[in-house]
Amino acid sequence: MSLTDEASHSLVGVIRMPDQAQSPVRAIVKRVIGAMAALLLAVLIVYLDRDGYRDVNGDGVSLLDSFYYATVSLSTTGYGDITPASSSARLVNVLVITPLRILFLIVLVGTTLEVLTERSRQALRIQKWRRVVRDHVVVVGYGTKGRSAVAALLGDGVEPGSIVVVDTVQESLDAASAIGLVTVHGSGTRNDVLRVAGAARARAIVVAPNRDDTAVLVTLTARELAPKAQIVASVRERENEHLLRQSGADSVVVSSETAGRLLGMATATPSVVAMVEDLLTPDAGLAIAERDVEPGEVGGSPRHLSDIVLGVVRGGKLYRVDAPEADAIEPGDRLLYVKKVTPPGGE
């Protein structure tokens, strides 16, 4: 059966919604404190009404007997050697001790109940998420390239909850979930997996697997599902770039050549490499950004603006700032420029 036909509760484990993890030690301590509180409350109630209880020894109910009765009662052992004899003691057992017994048992089996509750909660969140998700970013592959792409998106102000990571490696999905991303376990080459990730309603799809042939298959599948989405793909070898473009990728990044150029430049001009790295880091120093033109800028030259303009985007096509088409800014243009980014806590 296709994943898209599955109910939301069946997708728990396939889709994982981000959540704040609680320390296991803290969870255990909270359960122990809850169990001890219920036990002590039961001891106090029995001891205060000790005259209403009968001990088979006939020597009355002491504080130790109260602890003993509360323990065997809350644990449902019930040896019967100490029993409520008066009407008030029996009434207290019905109205107080029995609820405490239920609470005590819930605490003892809290781990199992928590797992069941978590699955139900996840199923409800998945159902709601699948109904409302749109205009998000799907990242296929959370290796080195995928992580860097996500870091750039987060640096540009994209909310973690609007990024969906698709991968087959659970460790990678755990790392993505730890920073608040939605994750889908499965191969991005499968149509139903991308549908579950909401690719059909995504605004952008980042294709970053480790293999070029996988990137081609993912791009083909993604383009079929999302004809209007911006698909950005990574390829290791330049000779495979045309395959990705034919498969429907809007932009292709040749990772091996880009890294090679930086390595070559670093041998002669390391400061240039440092500047390029700065421009590619969106959350500190300088960054390359894109913005709409302001009304007062229309008709002027992009080279005369206070911003350092690198190019003009017109009709979806990029013109470098020295191109004749970029001599004058037109309505509807977008400017590619260098902006100063102030890091958190910076001035």
Side-chain angles (χ1 to χ4, degrees), residues 1-345:
M1 180 181 293
S2 173
L3 289 178
T4 54
D5 298 327
E6 297 282 357
S8 295
H9 64 82
S10 301
L11 294 175
V12 176
V14 177
I15 300 177
R16 182 177 177 184
M17 307 300 297
D19 203 357
Q20 293 183 345
Q22 184 180 18
S23 167
V25 175
R26 184 177 179 182
I28 292 174
V29 169
K30 287 174 63 177
R31 291 193 182 99
V32 170
I33 292 176
M36 292 302 298
L39 178 62
L40 292 176
L41 180 58
V43 170
L44 178 63
I45 292 173
V46 173
Y47 185 71
L48 292 177
D49 194 24
R50 57 188 177 277
D51 294 336
Y53 289 81
R54 180 183 298 116
D55 188 352
V56 293
N57 296 329
D59 55 357
V61 176
S62 63
L63 180 60
L64 178 60
D65 292 332
S66 299
F67 269 99
Y68 168 76
Y69 175 79
T71 302
V72 298
S73 179
L74 293 187
S75 62
T76 69
T77 305
Y79 294 114
D81 46 353
I82 299 178
T83 57
S86 68
S87 299
S88 62
R90 291 176 178 175
L91 182 62
V92 167
N93 265 261
V94 172
L95 299 180
V96 181
I97 299 299
T98 296
L100 285 177
R101 181 183 300 116
I102 296 173
L103 176 62
F104 191 80
L105 291 175
I106 289 176
V107 172
L108 289 181
V109 297
T111 301
T112 302
L113 291 176
E114 183 177 338
V115 170
L116 294 176
T117 302
E118 176 64 17
R119 287 188 63 88
S120 300
R121 189 167 63 89
Q122 282 281 328
L124 290 174
R125 294 181 66 190
I126 289 172
Q127 184 179 25
K128 178 181 178 181
W129 176 80
R130 294 180 68 188
R131 186 172 62 249
V132 302
V133 63
R134 55 182 43 84
D135 296 329
H136 56 296
V137 180
V138 178
V139 178
V140 181
Y142 199 64
T144 303
K145 293 179 290 186
R147 292 170 192 252
S148 298
V150 167
L153 288 169
L154 296 176
D156 281 337
V158 178
E159 292 295 327
S162 62
I163 301 176
V164 182
V165 171
V166 178
D167 207 312
T168 56
V169 180
Q170 189 59 50
E171 290 78 6
S172 298
L173 297 178
D174 292 340
S177 181
I179 61 174
L181 310 182
V182 180
T183 63
V184 175
H185 188 280
S187 172
T189 60
R190 291 180 51 184
N191 184 290
D192 57 343
V193 171
L194 290 184
R195 284 185 182 275
V196 167
R201 298 186 298 275
R203 67 174 177 86
I205 300 173
V206 177
V207 182
N210 294 324
R211 294 168 54 97
D212 288 0
D213 54 351
T214 304
V216 172
L217 289 175
V218 172
T219 303
L220 279 170
T221 307
R223 179 53 73 199
E224 181 184 13
L225 286 176
K228 296 183 179 179
Q230 177 79 8
I231 298 181
V232 182
S234 170
V235 66
R236 295 175 63 89
E237 303 298 336
R238 170 69 68 178
E239 62 187 18
N240 295 323
E241 179 184 1
H242 74 285
L243 295 176
L244 281 167
R245 293 195 180 275
Q246 290 175 359
S247 301
D250 297 292
S251 300
V252 179
V253 177
V254 183
S255 57
S256 59
E257 288 194 4
T258 302
R261 290 192 191 97
L262 292 177
L263 289 172
M265 292 168 59
T267 61
T269 55
S271 57
V272 174
V273 176
M275 179 58 68
V276 172
E277 287 288 340
D278 186 12
L279 291 173
L280 294 177
T281 305
D283 54 356
L286 300 176
I288 300 176
E290 188 176 326
R291 67 172 177 85
D292 293 325
V293 298
E294 298 177 1
E297 297 171 340
V298 174
S301 171
R303 292 186 290 272
H304 297 158
L305 299 179
S306 57
D307 292 327
I308 301 175
V309 178
L310 302 176
V312 176
V313 180
R314 180 177 300 149
K317 185 176 181 179
L318 173 63
Y319 298 99
R320 293 188 321 187
V321 70
D322 59 345
E325 293 84 355
D327 284 342
I329 300 174
E330 298 180 3
D333 287 349
R334 291 180 61 84
L335 301 180
L336 199 67
Y337 72 107
V338 178
K339 71 174 182 178
K340 181 180 179 181
V341 180
T342 302

